[in-house]
Amino acid sequence: MGAAGYLINERKIYNPQFDKEIIDILDDFDSPFLYHSTLAEYEPSPVIELTTLAKKLGLGKILIKDEGQRFGTSAVKILGASYAVKKIFGSGSDKKGICTATDGNHGRAIAWTAKKNKLRAVVFVPDHTSQSRIKFIEDEGATVIVSSGNYDQAVDEAKKYAEKSNFLLIQDTAWGSYLKTPSYITAGYYTQLYELSEQLDRLRNPRIDAVFIQSGVGSWPSAVVHYIRRNLRSDRIKIICVEPIESDCIYESIKMSHVATTSKSQKTIMAGLNCGTTSVLAYEIMKNGVDAFMVISDLYAIDAIKYLNAPLPGDPYIAAGESGSAGLAGLLALMENHTLIELKHHLGLNEESNILLFNTENVTDPYLHDEIMSGKYYHSGE
Ligand SMILES: Cc1ncc(COP(=O)(O)O)c(C=O)c1O
C-alpha cells in the first residue's frame, strides 16, 4: 500500500475574487469550444466507462474523459495553449516568437501551436526532463533549452529569455500581475467540459457525484472547478484535487492559507504534476471550489497506470501516462488506504457513487512506461 494524506476543505460560497478583465475571460464558457471546433484537427475526446474496475472498488460508475489523442499532441494541455495563443497573438504582434517553460506537455502544446501559426518557439525544461519528452517538443520544431534547475527555475529562465529576446511568454501559471495569459490558458481547457455535457446527455445523464482532478500548478484543474461551480452551478458534485506527495504545492498552499512552494523532494514519476509553486489564479479558484486536497505516493500512480493500460476483463484499454493516470491514482488511494477512511465518509462515496476522471495524457515517456508495465521499474518505497 502506498502513502497518502489529505485535507478536507469546508467550502463556502464559490466566489473567487479577480479583476473584471480576468473574470470576463474565465466566465466566457463557450468561446474556447467555438474556437477549437474550427480547427482541422478537432474531434471531441471520448468518454469511456470502466465497469469492472468500478465494481472491484465498490463504486457505481467510473467514467473517464480521455484526452490522450487530443490534436495528436497526447495531452489536454493543447486546449489551453492553442486558445491563449489565438487570443493573445491573434491580431498580430511585433514579437519574434513564443516562449514558455514546461514539464513536458504544455511545452509540446506550445511547440505544436507555434508550428501551426508559423511562429518560432523556445521551450525551457527542468534539468531532470527525460530525453523522450524533450524529443517530442523538438519534433514539433521548437528549440528546447534545458534549465539549470527545477520547474520554477525553468519558468524564471523563460521569463527572462522572453524579455531579453522580444518573445511573448505563454506560461500556464500566474503570479503578481501575470494573470491574463494563464486565464486564457485555463479557459481553453473548458472545451473538454463543453463536450462532456453533450456526451453525458447521450449516456442518459448519469448523476456525477465526485470528480478527481490531478494538479501541477493548478491551471488545468481550476478550469474543471470553475466550470462546475460557476457554469454548471453545481454545489453538490464533490471535487477532489490530487497531487504527488513529493510535489504538493496546492496542498501546502491550502494548509498555509496562501500561495506556497512545496518543501518536498520533487522526486516523482508524475512529471507533469511536478511543479514547485502554485499559480495565484489557481489558488483563488481551488480554495473556494474544491472539497478535498489529496497527496499520494508514486505507488498509486503505478497501480493506476496498470489499470488503464492493462485493464481488467471487460474494461477498455486506455493509453495513459504517469500524470494522466493520477486522478485514478487518487481514487485508488481513497478506496484502498484505510488511513483515508474519514475522507471517504466525508465525501460519501459508496456503491452508488458515480465518479468522473480525466486521463490528461497519453504515454509521454515510453521508456519509463515500458519499465512500469513490465514490472522492471524500481521504486524506492515510501
Ligand atoms: C498530463 C497532465 N495532467 C495534469 C496537469 C496539471 O496541470 P496544471 O499544471 O495546470 O495543474 C499537467 C501539467 O502539465 C499535465 O501535464
Side-chain angles (χ1 to χ4, degrees), residues 74-77 102-106 151 172-173 185-186 189 213-222 250 271-275 279 282 286 321-326 358-362 364:
S74 297
V76 71
K77 297 250 126 179
T102 182
D103 273 328
N105 292 323
H106 172 68
Y151 175 82
D172 57 343
T173 186
I185 291 175
T186 299
Y189 301 133
I213 43 175
Q214 49 272 46
S215 188
V217 293
S219 295
W220 173 73
S222 293
I250 309 261
L273 313 185
N274 196 0
C275 309
S279 160
M286 308 272 274
E322 299 77 37
S323 302
S325 308
F358 294 85
N359 171 30
T360 46
E361 75 179 340
N362 208 308
T364 53

Side-chain angles (χ1 to χ4, degrees), residues 68-90:
Q69 312 292 333
R70 188 67 87 171
F71 297 175
T73 64
S74 297
V76 71
K77 297 250 126 179
I78 188 62
L79 293 176
S82 55
Y83 185 64
V85 170
K86 161 78 187 154
K87 296 304 281 188
I88 290 178
F89 229 102

Side-chain angles (χ1 to χ4, degrees), residues 137-376:
I137 300 169
E138 287 175 339
D139 285 351
E140 297 288 357
T143 301
V144 175
I145 299 178
V146 180
S147 151
S148 53
N150 60 17
Y151 175 82
D152 282 3
Q153 172 83 22
V155 173
D156 215 43
E157 289 174 22
K159 216 187 304 179
K160 289 189 180 126
Y161 181 92
E163 275 162 25
K164 197 180 76 198
S165 310
N166 196 28
F167 270 55
L168 193 65
L169 183 71
I170 305 284
Q171 196 56 59
D172 57 343
T173 186
W175 61 84
S177 60
Y178 188 76
L179 290 165
K180 194 167 155 187
T181 300
S183 300
Y184 278 127
I185 291 175
T186 299
Y189 301 133
Y190 294 158
T191 291
Q192 58 181 342
L193 298 142
Y194 191 100
E195 293 168 356
L196 194 61
S197 314
E198 196 191 284
Q199 289 167 320
L200 292 179
D201 222 31
R202 264 187 268 135
L203 292 170
R204 279 183 267 142
N205 273 318
R207 186 195 67 245
I208 299 295
D209 298 300
V211 184
F212 287 72
I213 43 175
Q214 49 272 46
S215 188
V217 293
S219 295
W220 173 73
S222 293
V224 179
V225 173
H226 197 66
Y227 198 95
I228 290 176
R229 299 287 187 236
R230 183 86 129 209
N231 192 33
L232 304 183
R233 297 182 187 278
S234 172
D235 237 10
R236 189 192 55 75
I237 298 174
K238 304 284 189 209
I239 303 182
I240 302 101
C241 173
V242 182
E243 287 178 285
I245 211 164
E246 290 298 331
S247 189
D248 62 348
C249 59
I250 309 261
Y251 178 91
E252 196 60 22
S253 301
I254 298 300
K255 203 165 81 183
M256 311 279 278
S257 300
H258 59 74
V259 168
T261 299
T262 181
S263 57
K264 302 290 170 42
S265 70
Q266 290 197 253
K267 287 198 167 66
T268 170
I269 58 168
M270 293 172 259
L273 313 185
N274 196 0
C275 309
T277 306
T278 304
S279 160
V280 297
L281 194 79
Y283 176 69
E284 184 62 22
I285 291 173
M286 308 272 274
K287 78 169 191 215
N288 288 294
V290 170
D291 293 277
F293 295 86
M294 291 180 68
V295 287
I296 53 159
S297 68
D298 283 358
L299 285 177
Y300 287 112
I302 291 170
D303 284 351
I305 291 164
K306 289 183 177 161
Y307 278 126
L308 296 174
N309 295 276
L312 297 172
D315 282 349
Y317 161 75
I318 300 177
E322 299 77 37
S323 302
S325 308
L328 174 58
L331 176 64
L332 294 178
L334 187 65
M335 302 310 285
E336 291 173 353
N337 187 322
H338 56 81
T339 67
L340 303 184
I341 194 84
E342 185 201 337
L343 177 61
K344 189 174 153 192
H345 287 155
H346 177 81
L347 297 171
L349 295 193
N350 57 40
E351 60 286 348
E352 310 233 304
S353 305
N354 297 333
I355 311 293
L356 175 65
L357 304 173
F358 294 85
N359 171 30
T360 46
E361 75 179 340
N362 208 308
V363 174
T364 53
D365 188 341
Y367 179 75
L368 174 61
H369 184 79
D370 286 352
E371 290 223 308
I372 290 171
M373 293 308 291
S374 64
K376 274 195 227 137

Side-chain angles (χ1 to χ4, degrees), residues 40-53:
E41 299 81 359
Y42 176 75
E43 252 183 75
S45 68
V47 177
I48 296 168
E49 185 166 355
L50 299 180
T51 313
T52 315
L53 184 60

Side-chain angles (χ1 to χ4, degrees), residues 24 31 51 55 63 151 237:
D24 286 349
S31 292
T51 313
K55 208 172 273 171
L63 299 172
Y151 175 82
I237 298 174

